Amino acid sequence: MDFVFVPGAWHGGWAWHPVARRLASAGHRAVALTMPGMSVGDDQRELRLADAVAHLFAEIERRDLTEVVLVGHSWGGIPIAGAARRLGARLHAIAMVSAFVPRSGESMIEALGAEVGGYLRTQIESSPNHSISLNFDAVRESLMQDEPEALQRLLYELLVPQPGGYMLDALDVVDFAELDVPMTYLLAEHDRALAAPGEELAARLGTEPVLVPGTHEAIITHADEVAKALQASVES
């Protein structure tokens, strides 16, 4: 299998490296992508969700990947939903790990609700780079609660601002049923950062969640369990 990993908001491909290495050791090809604008120093002002979708699709074609298992974390579920419809026979399966599963016409900001969404819109409008930054309190309280502070601060130092267009834009059409490929939803047991209950998000894929230990950042803190669950999902 060719596993293609898409990171969540504020993260780069580095967030998937622990899981990707384990699957590569098991004999799979593993590619952890960083979306446009998600490296230090990138200009994020003009980036839109379509750019992330196009980048994901283009990288799969450029690398000539086949039997592709698209794996998304958090916001990464959105570009996966956009690219999957274009992959055709290359697509083998979809796996979401504590990911947002979008609905047609629903942006990430809309999914987060009026209060949080309004706050993020204000951030985008006031940012010279049209981006959204994350503060340390969000890491400590929502993304990686109960983990050692040294680990929380390391994660915080690795995060970069999220392009506003990635959060404001929505996919016109989302229809996972039409893809006719296996779908898996892994849900971290102590996730506090999801825009909707994990059971509801899994149901949008037509499945039930498979629990893995950890918080929203389980792909980093519990890579063994996540990798094993992903491997099991494509071998069953």
Side-chain angles (χ1 to χ4, degrees):
M1 301 296 171
D2 291 344
F3 284 85
V4 178
F5 298 96
V6 182
W10 303 287
H11 294 60
W14 52 264
W16 276 113
H17 288 178
V19 172
R21 287 194 179 102
R22 285 158 173 79
L23 287 169
S25 296
H28 300 285
R29 189 170 183 183
V31 177
L33 297 178
T34 295
M35 295 296 101
M38 299 308 296
S39 296
V40 173
D42 284 354
D43 186 355
Q44 303 164 324
R45 287 172 292 183
E46 304 300 325
L47 286 169
R48 312 303 306 188
L49 177 60
D51 297 310
V53 174
H55 178 75
L56 172 55
F57 177 74
E59 282 297 298
I60 290 171
E61 284 215 319
R62 184 180 70 82
R63 299 167 189 256
D64 194 24
L65 304 179
T66 58
E67 291 190 292
V68 171
V69 182
L70 283 178
V71 189
H73 175 238
S74 195
W75 167 86
I78 302 178
I80 279 181
R85 300 176 70 242
R86 300 170 57 183
L87 289 176
R90 291 183 186 272
L91 183 64
H92 178 79
I94 288 176
M96 304 287 196
V97 184
S98 278
F100 179 63
V101 180
R103 294 177 287 203
S104 299
E106 181 182 44
S107 70
M108 188 78 250
I109 275 186
E110 289 168 334
L112 290 168
E115 182 176 351
V116 175
Y119 170 74
L120 295 179
R121 287 180 188 273
T122 300
Q123 266 212 51
I124 294 169
E125 292 167 0
S126 62
S127 165
N129 209 22
H130 297 173
S131 63
I132 303 169
S133 296
L134 200 66
N135 59 40
F136 177 68
D137 284 346
V139 173
R140 180 178 56 197
E141 297 169 8
S142 297
L143 299 188
M144 199 179 260
Q145 77 278 2
D146 302 326
E147 296 291 348
E149 183 174 343
L151 184 56
Q152 294 170 341
R153 291 198 176 276
L154 174 60
L155 176 71
Y156 176 67
E157 291 293 337
L158 291 168
L159 302 179
V160 298
Q162 177 81 348
Y166 285 1
M167 309 293 273
L168 290 168
D169 294 350
L171 299 171
D172 291 335
V173 177
V174 178
D175 186 352
F176 288 101
E178 74 171 10
L179 298 173
D180 194 28
V181 296
M183 307 274 182
T184 300
Y185 194 96
L186 305 187
L187 175 62
E189 291 180 290
H190 303 294
D191 197 321
R192 292 182 182 174
L194 292 175
E199 293 78 8
E200 176 186 329
L201 294 171
R204 295 180 191 178
L205 294 178
T207 188
E208 295 183 356
V210 176
L211 292 181
V212 293
T215 65
H216 195 64
E217 300 293 337
I219 62 174
I220 296 173
T221 61
H222 292 79
D224 281 339
E225 292 88 345
V226 172
K228 288 175 183 176
L230 286 174
Q231 186 164 356
S233 73
V234 298
E235 293 178 350
S236 59

